Amino acid sequence: MKAIRILSRNIRDSFKSVFRNFSLSLASISCITITLVVVALSIVLSFNVNNFTDMVEKDVTIVTFLKVDIDEAGREAVLTELKKLDNIEKISFESKMAIADEMMEANETYKNIMSDWNEETSPLQDTYLVKVKDIEQIEATANQIKKINGVDIIKYGEGMVEKLVSTFDLIHKICYGIVAALILVTAFLITNTIKITIFSRKREIEIMRLVGASNLNIKIPFIFEGLFLGILGSIIPIAATIYGYAAIYDRMGGQVFSSIIKLVKPTPFVYEISVILVGIGMIVGMFGSWQAVRKYLKI
Amino acid sequence: MNLIVMQGVNKRYKNGVNAIQDLNLTIEKGDFVFVIGSTGCGKSTLIKMLYREEKPTKGKIVVGGLDVAKLRNSKVYKLRRKIGVVFQDFKLLPKSTVFENVAFALEVLGLPKDEIYHKVIKVLELVGLKHKAKNYPNQLSGGEQQRVAIARAIVNGPKLLICDEPTGNLDENTSMEIMTVLEAINKLGTTIIMVTHDRTIVKKMQKRTILLDSGRILKDYKKGKYVDESNKNTK
Ligand SMILES: Nc1ncnc2c1ncn2[C@@H]1O[C@H](COP(=O)(O)OP(=O)(O)OP(=O)(O)O)[C@@H](O)[C@H]1O
Ligand SMILES: [Mg+2]
């Protein structure tokens, strides 16, 4: 009961004090706001890049052409060998006739030339489409497939894909680095801003100590104040994320350059970011306040 | 019974100043004690150690059964709840009313609202300021502000009231009003230690008086035995 009374008084007082020291509160809030905007940008970028990577990776296939004169038993033998490799996600077979049909469908000229080809005369090759699990290992896997008896040649992204993926990976890591660094810098800035706020309230703290408030009792209102500052500071970044991202998504039709690279859908993505932003704001605000008030509680 | 015991106390500040040296002092429960001495002789340092604003460098200090020298920072509040402190500059919250200023001391203890109300009104009556409960500090005279500070210091019934030059900013008449209030509080059983420059008050009140000089006790006048010797040399 007593603890609840003290706590509710603390919450009330810290709320009041945010508004009573409004100009200083505004400094802290702006500080958090700026950080969170950049954090939001980084998260949007990093999640989208991650999404691209996933999609590109899904699309990468090693096309395995079999020898022209291979027979049923030979195809089975190749499949057995392929199944033994461990970096393989999925194998699908496409016969030379299926390929011819596909090509004829797509193009009138092809149709004229190919229409009288049959199993024997077709110069096309049967293929296995092989999807790999780990894109980074694709070269090694390709080399293993090349050595299988009955395999003629193979084709895959050949460097391009790996380059793209590793670039995306780098962007991803840089984003995380920026977020981490920013959070640290803000925590420091907030600590200093709140220190100034608290300096103007030195007397209040001094009197609280004098009349027998425990250290925790003195800290709690300031920690709540930091919490409020964090929440207030996250309002603009959250609004910017929710409306801004939806606008960008609509503007670009949900994709970048081509339909292969799709943006992350706004819902529930923007709400997840909002939760992260308000969480970071609250933690940074509380931590900053707690650090700042500590100094005044030592003798 | 002794409320305060100081044994072999030394205080050396970080800058090398020896503010208190080899000090032994006991103060009985219910006493009224003046601490006097020239500026910089260590009066404030002495009482700061009693409410644990400063730690002694050496020696033992016991206040109301608490070993103050050994008290951890996080436990200082336990001591502060047993004592009240009053300063020359009042230390009131300017944006709070008289009532709120006094109630502040009880709110941090988590007392229920109606109990706070009754205690605050009672203590404001004692210092004669009940009718100004809704005023703000800047609407009060210096003497009235000091009475608010005293009310705040004693509202939770401390055993000990420490005053550092409570009349330092006040004229002679107002000072005597404050002394009357302090004397009344003392009569109700609270031990009072008061640092002062004002020899007229000390002479008039005739309480136990401790004269400090360069951090040491030069004289310890018993109750009713104080004579002003400060002008002897110059005469
Ligand atoms: N925080 C401090 N750090 C360093 N030295 C200090 C500190 N506080 C006081 N002193 C020094 O200790 C000595 C005693 O100071 P103190 O404040 O106790 O004197 P005082 O008797 O209260 O003087 P006054 O009558 O002027 O208030 C002085 O020389 C002072 O300069
Ligand atoms: Mg002093």
Side-chain angles (χ1 to χ4, degrees):
Chain A
M1 197 49 216
K2 192 172 122 187
I4 291 170
R5 260 198 307 269
I6 293 179
L7 196 69
S8 70
R9 190 183 71 85
N10 281 342
I11 295 174
R12 192 193 64 210
D13 283 1
S14 49
F15 203 70
K16 265 194 218 157
S17 126
V18 167
F19 294 99
R20 201 177 283 161
N21 309 292
F22 193 69
S23 56
L24 284 165
S25 300
L26 204 61
S28 305
I29 292 171
S30 329
C31 187
I32 296 179
T33 299
I34 292 165
T35 310
L36 290 184
V37 166
V38 183
V39 167
L41 281 176
S42 299
I43 294 176
V44 165
L45 188 61
S46 125
F47 271 64
N48 270 297
V49 162
N50 210 19
N51 193 38
F52 300 163
T53 314
D54 281 355
M55 280 184 303
V56 170
E57 281 181 348
K58 253 184 229 149
D59 258 23
V60 173
T61 308
I62 302 175
V63 185
T64 309
F65 294 92
L66 305 180
K67 296 236 165 75
V68 184
D69 54 358
I70 205 157
D71 58 6
E72 181 69 38
R75 286 200 294 264
E76 283 303 317
V78 172
L79 185 61
T80 320
E81 285 301 309
L82 284 175
K83 279 184 177 158
K84 279 185 197 156
L85 301 176
D86 50 5
N87 189 28
I88 305 271
E89 171 86 24
K90 202 180 132 198
I91 304 166
S92 53
F93 178 70
E94 212 167 352
S95 74
K96 57 177 98 173
M97 290 320 287
I99 297 170
D101 286 346
E102 217 172 86
M103 289 172 84
M104 285 192 292
E105 195 120 316
N107 191 304
E108 202 59 31
T109 327
Y110 285 163
K111 199 168 184 173
N112 292 334
I113 304 169
M114 293 175 170
S115 54
D116 54 348
W117 289 1
N118 64 27
E119 187 80 18
E120 240 67 328
T121 58
S122 171
L124 295 174
Q125 293 161 288
D126 289 330
T127 57
Y128 280 115
L129 303 176
V130 180
K131 283 199 174 168
V132 294
K133 280 183 198 147
D134 181 6
I135 193 92
E136 319 256 317
Q137 306 286 324
I138 195 165
E139 201 173 343
T141 310
N143 285 333
Q144 287 172 316
I145 295 176
K146 229 185 268 176
K147 289 192 195 111
I148 298 173
N149 226 336
V151 172
D152 185 17
I153 49 166
I154 58 165
K155 280 218 164 98
Y156 65 99
E158 268 132 358
M160 261 294 294
V161 177
E162 293 107 303
K163 239 179 230 164
L164 199 62
V165 168
S166 67
T167 308
F168 284 169
D169 207 44
L170 186 66
I171 296 177
H172 198 63
K173 279 184 183 135
I174 290 174
C175 285
Y176 277 128
I178 290 175
V179 170
L182 266 176
I183 290 173
L184 281 181
V185 170
T186 318
F188 180 75
L189 283 176
I190 291 288
T191 304
N192 278 297
T193 319
I194 294 177
K195 251 184 207 161
I196 299 169
T197 325
I198 291 180
F199 182 76
S200 67
R201 289 158 68 189
K202 237 173 111 176
R203 161 153 298 213
E204 206 177 313
I205 295 179
E206 189 189 351
I207 294 169
M208 284 179 94
R209 275 187 72 88
L210 213 53
V211 297
S214 68
N215 285 0
L216 190 68
N217 205 328
I218 297 172
K219 270 183 211 166
I220 286 174
F222 287 99
I223 291 174
F224 271 113
E225 198 174 327
L227 187 83
F228 290 137
L229 293 177
I231 293 172
L232 291 175
S234 64
I235 290 175
I236 292 175
I238 285 177
T241 308
I242 291 178
Y243 294 106
Y245 188 71
I248 292 171
Y249 188 86
D250 285 345
R251 187 89 188 251
M252 301 180 79
Q255 63 190 41
V256 187
F257 306 128
S258 77
S259 58
I260 304 172
I261 304 181
K262 288 204 166 58
L263 290 170
V264 181
K265 287 215 177 65
T267 8
F269 182 49
V270 289
Y271 300 109
E272 287 162 7
I273 296 183
S274 303
V275 172
I276 295 174
L277 291 182
V278 78
I280 293 176
M282 276 160 41
I283 290 168
V284 166
M286 287 195 298
F287 177 78
S289 286
W290 176 68
Q291 278 291 320
V293 79
R294 250 164 47 125
K295 200 183 103 186
Y296 294 96
L297 296 179
K298 286 188 196 131
I299 314 184
Chain B
M1 212 182 112
N2 292 328
L3 183 69
I4 297 171
V5 180
M6 301 177 85
Q7 278 170 359
V9 173
N10 279 270
K11 175 66 194 180
R12 185 188 168 92
Y13 283 109
K14 281 201 189 86
N15 60 4
V17 174
N18 288 308
I20 293 291
Q21 299 179 61
D22 294 322
L23 191 124
N24 295 299
L25 177 67
T26 54
I27 291 174
E28 270 178 49
K29 223 175 198 168
D31 230 353
F32 195 131
V33 181
F34 285 119
V35 179
I36 58 170
S38 55
T39 180
C41 70
K43 305 181 294 295
S44 296
T45 305
L46 171 67
I47 59 168
K48 275 180 183 167
M49 287 190 290
L50 294 180
Y51 61 89
R52 184 51 172 73
E53 188 63 31
E54 294 289 351
K55 258 182 167 175
T57 322
K58 225 173 81 189
K60 193 175 169 183
I61 303 178
V62 179
V63 176
L66 273 173
D67 191 338
V68 178
K70 287 204 183 112
L71 198 64
R72 278 174 40 211
N73 187 21
S74 59
K75 297 278 179 276
V76 169
Y77 73 94
K78 291 194 170 163
L79 171 72
R80 300 281 170 90
R81 287 177 185 188
K82 293 187 177 184
I83 60 188
V85 192
V86 172
F87 299 92
Q88 184 172 358
D89 61 354
F90 321 134
K91 294 198 199 297
L92 299 174
L93 295 169
K95 288 175 189 164
S96 302
T97 63
V98 166
F99 181 91
E100 286 164 352
N101 263 288
V102 179
F104 191 70
L106 298 177
E107 278 175 356
V108 299
L109 305 182
L111 262 59
K113 246 190 172 152
D114 51 343
E115 196 178 332
I116 292 180
Y117 179 82
H118 289 300
K119 284 196 168 172
V120 172
I121 292 300
K122 213 174 128 198
V123 79
L124 284 179
E125 235 161 31
L126 178 66
V127 299
L129 279 179
K130 195 181 157 194
H131 59 294
K132 299 251 164 134
K134 291 205 172 91
N135 288 52
Y136 286 87
N138 63 4
Q139 299 166 328
L140 303 179
S141 73
E144 286 169 332
Q145 289 186 53
Q146 191 58 290
R147 280 188 275 158
V148 177
I150 292 170
R152 182 183 63 196
I154 61 166
V155 70
N156 67 342
K159 293 179 188 168
L160 174 65
L161 180 62
I162 295 173
C163 312
D164 196 347
E165 303 194 33
T167 60
N169 279 343
L170 308 174
D171 65 33
E172 206 174 316
N173 284 337
T174 321
S175 295
M176 281 326 291
E177 273 171 43
I178 295 294
M179 293 319 297
T180 312
V181 171
L182 289 179
E183 181 129 56
I185 292 166
N186 180 238
K187 288 246 162 69
L188 292 172
T190 308
T191 310
I192 296 183
I193 300 178
M194 173 170 157
V195 169
T196 185
H197 267 130
D198 193 335
R199 305 270 170 144
T200 327
I201 290 177
V202 180
K203 215 164 145 187
K204 211 166 186 172
M205 304 268 300
Q206 287 297 330
K207 305 287 184 188
R208 182 181 172 192
T209 302
I210 289 155
L211 173 62
L212 283 186
D213 182 51
S214 313
R216 296 169 201 272
I217 296 179
L218 193 65
K219 280 246 167 73
D220 188 347
Y221 302 94
K222 296 243 158 46
K223 192 175 172 177
K225 294 281 194 304
Y226 177 75
V227 276
D228 194 349
E229 296 164 286
S230 60
N231 296 330
K232 257 189 184 169
N233 299 340
T234 48
K235 266 178 193 168

